[in-house]
């Protein structure tokens, strides 16, 4: 039990620090920025307390906001992603989610990619909508959300492949 808590605490700290120190300084073409800190939300265990998970997602977003001085937009997007996560888990994994037996290292790649893509897209759409906050700039919002989502999805997929534990 303590090792599980320490793994999640370490994941939280490492993702926040790499986001703040490395990924916040990447700006391709002026508007493409990866946000792999959402891996914490993506990989958090399904069986754990949902209210604790939403609170930890809020803390994750708030910590990133403190580093970026972004006024709470990451916290809002992270809370929404955490709240909507069961819908994306059910649509991506189906019965495996209903029985709460999801092991991200053992599910098929297509389902995992669909789940990462859905959750990342909703997170980024909310994030950039709150950042720009102008209906007249909907094309810019969609453009930033789409391209940053693609980059974040590729990065998150690559990270999960590299750090997955194969038990063969």
């Amino acid at each position: 039990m303590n090792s599980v808590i320490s793994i999640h605490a370490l994941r939280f700290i490492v993702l926040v620090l790499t986001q703040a120190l490395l990924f916040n300084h990447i700006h391709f073409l002026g508007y493409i920025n990866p946000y792999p800190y959402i891996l914490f939300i993506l990989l958090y265990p399904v069986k754990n307390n949902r209210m604790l998970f939403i609170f930890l997602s809020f803390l994750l977003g708030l910590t990133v906001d403190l580093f970026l001085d972004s006024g709470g937009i990451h916290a809002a997007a992270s809370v929404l992603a955490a709240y909507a996560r069961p819908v994306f888990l059910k649509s991506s994994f189906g019965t495996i989610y209903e029985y709460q037996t999801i092991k991200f290292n053992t599910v098929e790649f297509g389902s995992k990619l669909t789940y990462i893509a859905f959750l990342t897209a909703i997170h980024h759409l909310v994030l950039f909508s709150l950042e720009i906050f102008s209906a007249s700039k909907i094309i810019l919002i969609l453009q930033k959300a789409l391209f940053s989502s693609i980059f974040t999805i590729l990065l998150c997929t690559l990270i999960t492949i590299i750090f997955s534990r194969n038990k063969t």
Side-chain angles (χ1 to χ4, degrees), residues 10-25 37 60 63-64 67:
L10 182 66
R11 182 181 295 157
F12 185 97
I13 292 167
V14 167
L15 286 171
V16 166
L17 287 177
T18 55
Q19 181 67 46
L21 299 175
L22 178 67
F23 293 114
N24 285 344
H25 302 291
Y37 74 89
L60 176 74
T63 308
V64 172
F67 281 109

PDB file of all heavy atoms in Angstrom, residues 10-25 37 60 63-64 67:
ATOM      1  N   LEU A  10       5.506  10.165  -6.376  1.00  0.00           N
ATOM      2  CA  LEU A  10       6.686  10.387  -7.208  1.00  0.00           C
ATOM      3  C   LEU A  10       6.286  10.772  -8.633  1.00  0.00           C
ATOM      4  O   LEU A  10       6.862  11.690  -9.224  1.00  0.00           O
ATOM      5  CB  LEU A  10       7.575   9.138  -7.211  1.00  0.00           C
ATOM      6  CG  LEU A  10       8.861   9.234  -8.008  1.00  0.00           C
ATOM      7  CD1 LEU A  10       9.798  10.253  -7.357  1.00  0.00           C
ATOM      8  CD2 LEU A  10       9.539   7.878  -8.088  1.00  0.00           C
ATOM      9  N   ARG A  11       5.272  10.095  -9.188  1.00  0.00           N
ATOM     10  CA  ARG A  11       4.782  10.417 -10.531  1.00  0.00           C
ATOM     11  C   ARG A  11       4.276  11.859 -10.575  1.00  0.00           C
ATOM     12  O   ARG A  11       4.555  12.605 -11.514  1.00  0.00           O
ATOM     13  CB  ARG A  11       3.671   9.452 -10.933  1.00  0.00           C
ATOM     14  CG  ARG A  11       3.150   9.708 -12.335  1.00  0.00           C
ATOM     15  CD  ARG A  11       2.035   8.770 -12.709  1.00  0.00           C
ATOM     16  NE  ARG A  11       2.502   7.400 -12.774  1.00  0.00           N
ATOM     17  CZ  ARG A  11       1.718   6.341 -12.649  1.00  0.00           C
ATOM     18  NH1 ARG A  11       0.429   6.485 -12.453  1.00  0.00           N
ATOM     19  NH2 ARG A  11       2.213   5.126 -12.731  1.00  0.00           N
ATOM     20  N   PHE A  12       3.537  12.262  -9.540  1.00  0.00           N
ATOM     21  CA  PHE A  12       3.009  13.621  -9.443  1.00  0.00           C
ATOM     22  C   PHE A  12       4.151  14.631  -9.474  1.00  0.00           C
ATOM     23  O   PHE A  12       4.145  15.581 -10.265  1.00  0.00           O
ATOM     24  CB  PHE A  12       2.213  13.745  -8.132  1.00  0.00           C
ATOM     25  CG  PHE A  12       1.507  15.055  -7.949  1.00  0.00           C
ATOM     26  CD1 PHE A  12       0.172  15.180  -8.265  1.00  0.00           C
ATOM     27  CD2 PHE A  12       2.172  16.163  -7.433  1.00  0.00           C
ATOM     28  CE1 PHE A  12      -0.500  16.383  -8.068  1.00  0.00           C
ATOM     29  CE2 PHE A  12       1.518  17.362  -7.243  1.00  0.00           C
ATOM     30  CZ  PHE A  12       0.175  17.472  -7.562  1.00  0.00           C
ATOM     31  N   ILE A  13       5.146  14.434  -8.622  1.00  0.00           N
ATOM     32  CA  ILE A  13       6.264  15.372  -8.502  1.00  0.00           C
ATOM     33  C   ILE A  13       7.090  15.416  -9.791  1.00  0.00           C
ATOM     34  O   ILE A  13       7.423  16.495 -10.286  1.00  0.00           O
ATOM     35  CB  ILE A  13       7.140  15.009  -7.290  1.00  0.00           C
ATOM     36  CG1 ILE A  13       6.355  15.257  -5.996  1.00  0.00           C
ATOM     37  CG2 ILE A  13       8.436  15.793  -7.281  1.00  0.00           C
ATOM     38  CD1 ILE A  13       6.980  14.642  -4.761  1.00  0.00           C
ATOM     39  N   VAL A  14       7.403  14.256 -10.342  1.00  0.00           N
ATOM     40  CA  VAL A  14       8.224  14.205 -11.564  1.00  0.00           C
ATOM     41  C   VAL A  14       7.498  14.864 -12.731  1.00  0.00           C
ATOM     42  O   VAL A  14       8.101  15.638 -13.489  1.00  0.00           O
ATOM     43  CB  VAL A  14       8.621  12.748 -11.894  1.00  0.00           C
ATOM     44  CG1 VAL A  14       9.176  12.623 -13.294  1.00  0.00           C
ATOM     45  CG2 VAL A  14       9.623  12.224 -10.878  1.00  0.00           C
ATOM     46  N   LEU A  15       6.207  14.593 -12.888  1.00  0.00           N
ATOM     47  CA  LEU A  15       5.464  15.195 -13.995  1.00  0.00           C
ATOM     48  C   LEU A  15       5.350  16.708 -13.856  1.00  0.00           C
ATOM     49  O   LEU A  15       5.487  17.435 -14.844  1.00  0.00           O
ATOM     50  CB  LEU A  15       4.078  14.558 -14.110  1.00  0.00           C
ATOM     51  CG  LEU A  15       4.064  13.146 -14.682  1.00  0.00           C
ATOM     52  CD1 LEU A  15       2.686  12.524 -14.550  1.00  0.00           C
ATOM     53  CD2 LEU A  15       4.510  13.136 -16.138  1.00  0.00           C
ATOM     54  N   VAL A  16       5.124  17.188 -12.647  1.00  0.00           N
ATOM     55  CA  VAL A  16       5.043  18.650 -12.440  1.00  0.00           C
ATOM     56  C   VAL A  16       6.394  19.303 -12.711  1.00  0.00           C
ATOM     57  O   VAL A  16       6.476  20.332 -13.391  1.00  0.00           O
ATOM     58  CB  VAL A  16       4.538  18.982 -11.021  1.00  0.00           C
ATOM     59  CG1 VAL A  16       4.763  20.447 -10.685  1.00  0.00           C
ATOM     60  CG2 VAL A  16       3.069  18.637 -10.891  1.00  0.00           C
ATOM     61  N   LEU A  17       7.466  18.708 -12.196  1.00  0.00           N
ATOM     62  CA  LEU A  17       8.792  19.299 -12.394  1.00  0.00           C
ATOM     63  C   LEU A  17       9.225  19.265 -13.862  1.00  0.00           C
ATOM     64  O   LEU A  17       9.777  20.245 -14.368  1.00  0.00           O
ATOM     65  CB  LEU A  17       9.829  18.595 -11.513  1.00  0.00           C
ATOM     66  CG  LEU A  17       9.743  18.923 -10.027  1.00  0.00           C
ATOM     67  CD1 LEU A  17      10.764  18.119  -9.236  1.00  0.00           C
ATOM     68  CD2 LEU A  17       9.928  20.411  -9.781  1.00  0.00           C
ATOM     69  N   THR A  18       8.975  18.154 -14.558  1.00  0.00           N
ATOM     70  CA  THR A  18       9.351  18.118 -15.978  1.00  0.00           C
ATOM     71  C   THR A  18       8.496  19.080 -16.796  1.00  0.00           C
ATOM     72  O   THR A  18       8.992  19.695 -17.743  1.00  0.00           O
ATOM     73  CB  THR A  18       9.249  16.695 -16.569  1.00  0.00           C
ATOM     74  OG1 THR A  18       7.936  16.182 -16.356  1.00  0.00           O
ATOM     75  CG2 THR A  18      10.293  15.776 -15.991  1.00  0.00           C
ATOM     76  N   GLN A  19       7.226  19.241 -16.403  1.00  0.00           N
ATOM     77  CA  GLN A  19       6.386  20.213 -17.097  1.00  0.00           C
ATOM     78  C   GLN A  19       6.918  21.624 -16.874  1.00  0.00           C
ATOM     79  O   GLN A  19       7.047  22.399 -17.814  1.00  0.00           O
ATOM     80  CB  GLN A  19       4.937  20.120 -16.610  1.00  0.00           C
ATOM     81  CG  GLN A  19       3.992  21.070 -17.304  1.00  0.00           C
ATOM     82  CD  GLN A  19       3.798  20.733 -18.753  1.00  0.00           C
ATOM     83  OE1 GLN A  19       3.588  19.589 -19.110  1.00  0.00           O
ATOM     84  NE2 GLN A  19       3.861  21.738 -19.606  1.00  0.00           N
ATOM     85  N   ALA A  20       7.237  21.944 -15.634  1.00  0.00           N
ATOM     86  CA  ALA A  20       7.675  23.303 -15.302  1.00  0.00           C
ATOM     87  C   ALA A  20       9.067  23.612 -15.837  1.00  0.00           C
ATOM     88  O   ALA A  20       9.314  24.714 -16.322  1.00  0.00           O
ATOM     89  CB  ALA A  20       7.650  23.494 -13.788  1.00  0.00           C
ATOM     90  N   LEU A  21       9.966  22.661 -15.745  1.00  0.00           N
ATOM     91  CA  LEU A  21      11.357  22.945 -16.097  1.00  0.00           C
ATOM     92  C   LEU A  21      11.710  22.649 -17.550  1.00  0.00           C
ATOM     93  O   LEU A  21      12.644  23.239 -18.078  1.00  0.00           O
ATOM     94  CB  LEU A  21      12.288  22.147 -15.177  1.00  0.00           C
ATOM     95  CG  LEU A  21      12.150  22.463 -13.684  1.00  0.00           C
ATOM     96  CD1 LEU A  21      13.022  21.527 -12.865  1.00  0.00           C
ATOM     97  CD2 LEU A  21      12.480  23.910 -13.406  1.00  0.00           C
ATOM     98  N   LEU A  22      10.968  21.756 -18.196  1.00  0.00           N
ATOM     99  CA  LEU A  22      11.324  21.371 -19.553  1.00  0.00           C
ATOM    100  C   LEU A  22      10.235  21.710 -20.565  1.00  0.00           C
ATOM    101  O   LEU A  22      10.451  22.484 -21.494  1.00  0.00           O
ATOM    102  CB  LEU A  22      11.637  19.860 -19.590  1.00  0.00           C
ATOM    103  CG  LEU A  22      11.983  19.261 -20.938  1.00  0.00           C
ATOM    104  CD1 LEU A  22      13.310  19.822 -21.442  1.00  0.00           C
ATOM    105  CD2 LEU A  22      12.046  17.756 -20.838  1.00  0.00           C
ATOM    106  N   PHE A  23       9.055  21.155 -20.383  1.00  0.00           N
ATOM    107  CA  PHE A  23       8.026  21.244 -21.418  1.00  0.00           C
ATOM    108  C   PHE A  23       7.374  22.617 -21.535  1.00  0.00           C
ATOM    109  O   PHE A  23       6.831  22.943 -22.587  1.00  0.00           O
ATOM    110  CB  PHE A  23       6.964  20.162 -21.202  1.00  0.00           C
ATOM    111  CG  PHE A  23       7.492  18.783 -21.426  1.00  0.00           C
ATOM    112  CD1 PHE A  23       7.585  17.880 -20.379  1.00  0.00           C
ATOM    113  CD2 PHE A  23       7.930  18.376 -22.678  1.00  0.00           C
ATOM    114  CE1 PHE A  23       8.083  16.611 -20.571  1.00  0.00           C
ATOM    115  CE2 PHE A  23       8.429  17.111 -22.882  1.00  0.00           C
ATOM    116  CZ  PHE A  23       8.509  16.227 -21.835  1.00  0.00           C
ATOM    117  N   ASN A  24       7.416  23.428 -20.489  1.00  0.00           N
ATOM    118  CA  ASN A  24       6.866  24.783 -20.603  1.00  0.00           C
ATOM    119  C   ASN A  24       7.705  25.673 -21.505  1.00  0.00           C
ATOM    120  O   ASN A  24       7.253  26.732 -21.928  1.00  0.00           O
ATOM    121  CB  ASN A  24       6.736  25.436 -19.222  1.00  0.00           C
ATOM    122  CG  ASN A  24       5.586  24.876 -18.441  1.00  0.00           C
ATOM    123  OD1 ASN A  24       4.705  24.228 -18.988  1.00  0.00           O
ATOM    124  ND2 ASN A  24       5.595  25.106 -17.151  1.00  0.00           N
ATOM    125  N   HIS A  25       8.916  25.258 -21.795  1.00  0.00           N
ATOM    126  CA  HIS A  25       9.808  26.062 -22.627  1.00  0.00           C
ATOM    127  C   HIS A  25       9.822  25.601 -24.078  1.00  0.00           C
ATOM    128  O   HIS A  25      10.597  26.117 -24.884  1.00  0.00           O
ATOM    129  CB  HIS A  25      11.219  26.030 -22.049  1.00  0.00           C
ATOM    130  CG  HIS A  25      11.264  26.520 -20.636  1.00  0.00           C
ATOM    131  ND1 HIS A  25      11.040  27.838 -20.299  1.00  0.00           N
ATOM    132  CD2 HIS A  25      11.466  25.877 -19.467  1.00  0.00           C
ATOM    133  CE1 HIS A  25      11.112  27.984 -18.992  1.00  0.00           C
ATOM    134  NE2 HIS A  25      11.363  26.803 -18.451  1.00  0.00           N
ATOM    135  N   TYR A  37       1.925  16.487 -18.302  1.00  0.00           N
ATOM    136  CA  TYR A  37       1.573  16.315 -16.894  1.00  0.00           C
ATOM    137  C   TYR A  37       0.220  15.626 -16.740  1.00  0.00           C
ATOM    138  O   TYR A  37      -0.082  15.071 -15.682  1.00  0.00           O
ATOM    139  CB  TYR A  37       1.595  17.654 -16.150  1.00  0.00           C
ATOM    140  CG  TYR A  37       0.443  18.587 -16.453  1.00  0.00           C
ATOM    141  CD1 TYR A  37      -0.738  18.520 -15.723  1.00  0.00           C
ATOM    142  CD2 TYR A  37       0.537  19.550 -17.445  1.00  0.00           C
ATOM    143  CE1 TYR A  37      -1.791  19.373 -15.985  1.00  0.00           C
ATOM    144  CE2 TYR A  37      -0.494  20.403 -17.715  1.00  0.00           C
ATOM    145  CZ  TYR A  37      -1.659  20.315 -16.988  1.00  0.00           C
ATOM    146  OH  TYR A  37      -2.702  21.163 -17.260  1.00  0.00           O
ATOM    147  N   LEU A  60      -2.689  19.124  -9.000  1.00  0.00           N
ATOM    148  CA  LEU A  60      -1.770  19.006 -10.135  1.00  0.00           C
ATOM    149  C   LEU A  60      -1.878  20.232 -11.036  1.00  0.00           C
ATOM    150  O   LEU A  60      -0.876  20.880 -11.358  1.00  0.00           O
ATOM    151  CB  LEU A  60      -2.091  17.733 -10.925  1.00  0.00           C
ATOM    152  CG  LEU A  60      -1.303  17.485 -12.192  1.00  0.00           C
ATOM    153  CD1 LEU A  60       0.125  17.055 -11.856  1.00  0.00           C
ATOM    154  CD2 LEU A  60      -1.982  16.430 -13.043  1.00  0.00           C
ATOM    155  N   THR A  63      -0.656  23.424  -9.267  1.00  0.00           N
ATOM    156  CA  THR A  63       0.807  23.484  -9.185  1.00  0.00           C
ATOM    157  C   THR A  63       1.401  23.922 -10.520  1.00  0.00           C
ATOM    158  O   THR A  63       2.311  24.760 -10.553  1.00  0.00           O
ATOM    159  CB  THR A  63       1.378  22.111  -8.769  1.00  0.00           C
ATOM    160  OG1 THR A  63       0.715  21.673  -7.582  1.00  0.00           O
ATOM    161  CG2 THR A  63       2.857  22.186  -8.510  1.00  0.00           C
ATOM    162  N   VAL A  64       0.882  23.394 -11.610  1.00  0.00           N
ATOM    163  CA  VAL A  64       1.349  23.829 -12.932  1.00  0.00           C
ATOM    164  C   VAL A  64       1.005  25.297 -13.142  1.00  0.00           C
ATOM    165  O   VAL A  64       1.813  26.068 -13.677  1.00  0.00           O
ATOM    166  CB  VAL A  64       0.750  22.930 -14.045  1.00  0.00           C
ATOM    167  CG1 VAL A  64       1.059  23.486 -15.421  1.00  0.00           C
ATOM    168  CG2 VAL A  64       1.273  21.502 -13.917  1.00  0.00           C
ATOM    169  N   PHE A  67       3.555  27.534 -11.491  1.00  0.00           N
ATOM    170  CA  PHE A  67       4.799  27.655 -12.261  1.00  0.00           C
ATOM    171  C   PHE A  67       4.612  28.524 -13.500  1.00  0.00           C
ATOM    172  O   PHE A  67       5.534  29.225 -13.905  1.00  0.00           O
ATOM    173  CB  PHE A  67       5.325  26.281 -12.678  1.00  0.00           C
ATOM    174  CG  PHE A  67       6.044  25.548 -11.588  1.00  0.00           C
ATOM    175  CD1 PHE A  67       5.479  24.436 -10.993  1.00  0.00           C
ATOM    176  CD2 PHE A  67       7.289  25.970 -11.148  1.00  0.00           C
ATOM    177  CE1 PHE A  67       6.140  23.754  -9.984  1.00  0.00           C
ATOM    178  CE2 PHE A  67       7.964  25.302 -10.150  1.00  0.00           C
ATOM    179  CZ  PHE A  67       7.390  24.191  -9.561  1.00  0.00           C
TER     180      PHE A  67
END
